[in-house]
Amino acid sequence: MSVPQAGQEHPEQSRPLDVIGLITLLLTVSGAVLIYMGWAYLDGYLGSFQLKATDMGFGVDEYALRGLNIFSPAFLPFMVGGTAVLLAGTTYRSSLTAALPQRARAAGAALAARRRVRIAADPRFGGAVVTACGAALAFAALAGWQVDTFVVLALSIVGPLLLTWPTRRLAAGRTAFAAAVVTSVFCLLWAASLHAYRKGEATAEQLVASLPHHTSVAIYSGKTLALNAPGVTRVTLADKTYPFRYEGLRLLMTRGDRYYLIPLITVADWRKGNGRTFVIVEREDRRVELLPGTRTG
């Protein structure tokens, strides 16, 4: 039985509880990111029409589905390929190293023996550099410089983890690593929500730009309605139950018996604050009919 000599590093042994804890952490963070992205997407989308997602009665499952729909199928090959590379690198690292030519391994060992290379390859050095760059860009943004928020958040996610990763198993380093994980998760949620919010705003602009071809709505009512908006017309009918019909609105969303309708105006008018959203509840003296939008030849 060999006894480790002084100064010799003990080989790390993988423990099942560590793997289970890591998987649980990843699943929890992924679920939180999906829900948060779904809320941010709806907040950006509905905020363009003077509505708030929290007032619409959405459930957690709906937020998660909205967040999942934000991801494009184009991301799937990269996600699968990246996961496969990481698994192969961690599982067969020794086998892949042994498969390299002798000259390549000797050159790698000679390069790793240099002091500057060891310092540059140390995760703590890289983490310190990345964290310092992120802090500098954050202060520059606060000073009024044009800095991309995603760059600052990416550096803030990677930097603290690299800086505290080598000492995560030490008693003195566990607290720092836990703080780094919390910081990284917070920045990840921030970046995800910012991306989702911008995507929601872009989707709202696309909807307004294509409103003439969107679903039109006709409202039959037993009483006059205060639907004062551009393009809305009222027609008087010879019907005792529904003597008034309103046309010209477009369907934004339905929630149960509630119809959220918007007028046929341009994106510039919405940005100027001239738009409004009408909430129509279908009941006995009011009927809502959905019609095809204007079609072009």
Side-chain angles (χ1 to χ4, degrees):
M1 179 176 178
S2 61
V3 180
Q5 301 296 327
Q8 183 179 355
E9 295 183 358
H10 294 271
E12 295 184 359
Q13 297 180 354
S14 61
R15 293 177 294 182
L17 291 180
D18 293 343
V19 178
I20 295 175
L22 180 60
I23 293 176
T24 303
L25 175 62
L26 291 176
L27 290 177
T28 303
V29 172
S30 300
V33 168
L34 285 179
I35 294 173
Y36 198 37
M37 288 183 67
W39 169 81
Y41 172 82
L42 288 173
D43 196 44
Y45 177 73
L46 297 174
S48 303
F49 306 105
Q50 289 81 49
L51 297 172
K52 283 191 171 296
T54 52
D55 298 334
M56 303 286 288
F58 292 104
V60 176
D61 55 340
E62 293 177 288
Y63 285 132
L65 289 175
R66 293 281 183 175
L68 188 61
N69 289 335
I70 294 176
F71 291 98
S72 171
F75 288 107
L76 187 59
F78 296 98
M79 295 175 62
V80 175
T83 304
V85 170
L86 289 176
L87 289 177
T90 55
T91 306
Y92 304 102
R93 180 176 56 184
S94 58
S95 301
L96 293 175
T97 304
L100 293 175
Q102 182 65 28
R103 291 184 178 180
R105 283 183 288 173
L111 187 63
R114 296 183 180 181
R115 184 172 179 272
R116 293 182 179 179
V117 175
R118 291 201 307 269
I119 294 176
D122 191 345
R124 290 171 293 185
F125 176 78
V129 172
V130 173
T131 303
C133 292
L137 290 178
F139 282 115
L142 293 176
W145 291 66
Q146 294 294 330
V147 180
D148 192 349
T149 307
F150 287 109
V151 175
V152 179
L153 292 176
L155 296 176
S156 302
I157 292 172
V158 177
L161 289 178
L162 288 176
L163 185 61
T164 58
W165 180 262
T167 60
R168 69 191 185 281
R169 296 186 182 276
L170 301 178
R174 291 174 183 171
T175 303
F177 181 68
V181 171
V182 172
T183 302
S184 299
V185 171
F186 175 78
C187 293
L188 178 62
L189 289 175
W190 188 356
S193 65
L194 183 60
H195 168 71
Y197 187 88
R198 292 181 180 179
K199 191 173 182 62
E201 288 184 327
T203 305
E205 290 188 1
Q206 293 175 1
L207 172 66
V208 174
S210 62
L211 272 182
H213 312 289
H214 202 61
T215 303
S216 179
V217 178
I219 305 171
Y220 296 84
S221 176
K223 301 179 181 179
T224 57
L225 303 176
L227 300 179
N228 300 321
V232 178
T233 59
R234 187 183 70 182
V235 179
T236 303
L237 305 175
D239 191 323
K240 296 182 179 180
T241 305
Y242 305 111
F244 303 103
R245 182 179 67 194
Y246 293 85
E247 298 177 341
L249 294 174
R250 293 298 190 268
L251 179 66
L252 173 64
M253 184 178 292
T254 59
R255 297 289 298 167
D257 58 351
R258 293 178 179 270
Y259 294 81
Y260 296 86
L261 312 177
I262 54 178
L264 188 59
I265 59 178
T266 63
V267 177
D269 291 329
W270 280 103
R271 291 177 178 175
K272 293 178 182 179
N274 298 329
R276 65 195 71 179
T277 302
F278 299 96
V279 183
I280 301 297
V281 181
E282 194 170 28
R283 55 193 188 188
E284 293 183 358
D285 62 339
R286 189 180 303 149
R287 182 169 62 87
V288 177
E289 185 180 28
L290 304 181
L291 305 169
T294 304
R295 300 179 182 275
T296 59

